[in-house]
């Protein structure tokens, strides 16, 4: 009987030695899974928004400090642009309508300040149906704006290159209430850095098309803006 009792005790001890490591491994996997889920749902901090001082459509000076306390988007555009700018403005309008929050704003910086005076930008804002008092169309010195685009790391063509000076990216920066540029992670868990303001031929956002019926980044921007407004 004593031998049988000893054998049972040995068996129980062996089982415990197996069960405990398995439980620890399971907890580790659970922790990793939870961590990855949180990692994917959080927004990456890209950098502090560059300092800027420009003039808006009401002929008032605007700086990045005036936008503190608001979640906002930044784009580079020009009012006479015949291609991607109307698409970007249209997507911004859709976002403005969907968010409809006094703590949300938009900064649209003209890369054609010689044409885009405050008066003209005010007419442009009225023409596209801007509703929010927090949507500022900014103008100023072209060299300053080109340098600012470089600081944002959003492409704008070289002012001195006649064939390139009005070229620009369709990318949009998302800025939080503390003045930090934020973004989500892609499927490979890499930060996307900026969002596209364009339309696409496909739902995955791989083939840009001016009259495309898909705008996947507009949808995820709305989600991420709402997340930052909470």
């Amino acid at each position: 009987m004593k031998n049988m009792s000893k054998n049972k005790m040995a068996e129980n001890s062996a089982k415990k030695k197996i069960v405990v490591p398995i439980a620890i491994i399971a907890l580790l996997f659970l922790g990793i899974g939870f961590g990855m889920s949180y990692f994917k749902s959080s927004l990456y901090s890209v950098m502090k928004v560059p300092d800027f001082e420009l003039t808006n459509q009401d002929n008032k000076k605007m700086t990045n400090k005036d936008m503190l306390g608001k979640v906002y988007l930044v784009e580079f555009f020009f009012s006479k642009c015949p291609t991607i700018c109307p698409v970007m403005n249209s997507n911004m309008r859709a976002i403005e309508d969907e968010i409809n929050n006094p703590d949300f704003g938009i900064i649209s910086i003209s890369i054609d300040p010689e044409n885009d005076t405050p008066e003209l930008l005010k007419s442009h804002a009225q023409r596209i149906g801007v509703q929010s008092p927090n949507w500022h169309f900014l103008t100023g010195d072209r060299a300053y704006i080109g340098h600012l685009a470089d600081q944002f790391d959003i492409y704008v063509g070289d002012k001195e290159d006649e064939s390139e000076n009005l070229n620009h990216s369709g990318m949009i920066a998302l800025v939080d209430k503390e003045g930090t540029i934020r973004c989500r992670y892609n499927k490979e868990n890499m930060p996307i850095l900026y969002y596209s303001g364009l339309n696409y031929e496909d739902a995955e956002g791989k083939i840009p098309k001016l009259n495309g019926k898909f705008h996947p980044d507009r949808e995820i921007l709305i989600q991420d803006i709402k997340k930052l407004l909470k």
Side-chain angles (χ1 to χ4, degrees):
M1 289 288 289
K2 282 185 181 179
N3 285 339
M4 283 180 68
S5 179
K6 282 181 183 179
N7 287 339
K8 274 194 175 181
M9 286 174 66
E11 281 178 20
N12 289 337
S13 177
K15 283 179 183 176
K16 282 181 183 177
K17 285 179 183 178
I18 294 169
V19 169
V20 171
I22 289 172
I24 291 169
I25 290 166
L27 284 170
L28 281 171
F29 275 108
L30 188 65
I32 290 167
F34 177 79
M36 289 302 289
S37 174
Y38 175 80
F39 179 73
K40 286 180 181 178
S41 67
S42 64
L43 293 177
Y44 177 75
S45 294
V46 181
M47 63 177 177
K48 295 299 286 184
V49 72
D51 290 334
F52 61 82
E53 181 177 326
L54 292 162
T55 303
N56 74 2
Q57 70 268 33
D58 295 316
N59 212 20
K60 293 179 180 176
K61 291 291 182 186
M62 280 288 304
T63 75
N64 55 296
K65 292 182 177 64
D66 293 318
M67 297 303 289
L68 287 173
K70 289 181 171 53
V71 175
Y72 63 101
L73 306 176
V74 179
E75 67 168 349
F76 290 84
F77 90 114
F78 63 105
S79 67
K80 285 188 173 180
C81 170
T83 54
I84 67 172
C85 297
V87 173
M88 294 173 72
N89 282 173
S90 175
N91 282 324
M92 292 287 205
R93 277 284 291 110
I95 292 170
E96 176 193 50
D97 288 345
E98 174 68 24
I99 299 297
N100 190 26
N101 187 307
D103 289 332
F104 172 67
I106 300 172
I107 296 289
S108 297
I109 302 172
S110 173
I111 64 167
D112 185 20
E114 290 182 10
N115 173 70
D116 286 338
T117 62
E119 294 75 23
L120 194 142
L121 289 174
K122 194 173 184 74
S123 296
H124 177 77
Q126 291 168 347
R127 186 169 64 254
I128 66 174
V130 168
Q131 302 294 319
S132 171
N134 297 323
W135 190 340
H136 301 278
F137 291 83
L138 303 185
T139 188
D141 178 72
R142 178 60 175 81
Y144 177 89
I145 289 167
H147 178 63
L148 181 60
D150 289 342
Q151 289 181 298
F152 269 98
D153 200 22
I154 293 178
Y155 170 74
V156 164
D158 184 353
K159 176 184 180 291
E160 305 306 320
D161 186 336
E162 200 170 309
S163 64
E164 279 287 314
N165 70 331
L166 290 180
N167 281 344
H168 64 97
S169 165
M171 303 312 286
I172 296 167
L174 169 62
V175 186
D176 69 16
K177 291 183 178 182
E178 287 73 45
T180 300
I181 298 173
R182 306 289 293 277
C183 73
R184 65 168 50 193
Y185 295 87
N186 63 18
K187 291 176 181 176
E188 288 74 42
N189 294 322
M190 297 296 291
I192 64 172
L193 303 182
Y194 298 98
Y195 299 76
S196 172
L198 307 182
N199 291 341
Y200 290 85
E201 192 175 311
D202 60 309
E204 291 74 30
K206 293 180 180 178
I207 308 167
K209 188 177 183 181
L210 290 180
N211 63 347
K213 64 177 182 177
F214 297 100
H215 25 72
D217 275 27
R218 186 173 93 187
E219 307 308 321
I220 65 172
L221 253 180
I222 288 169
Q223 294 169 19
D224 293 347
I225 291 163
K226 287 179 178 178
K227 191 179 291 185
L228 291 175
L229 283 168
K230 283 182 180 178

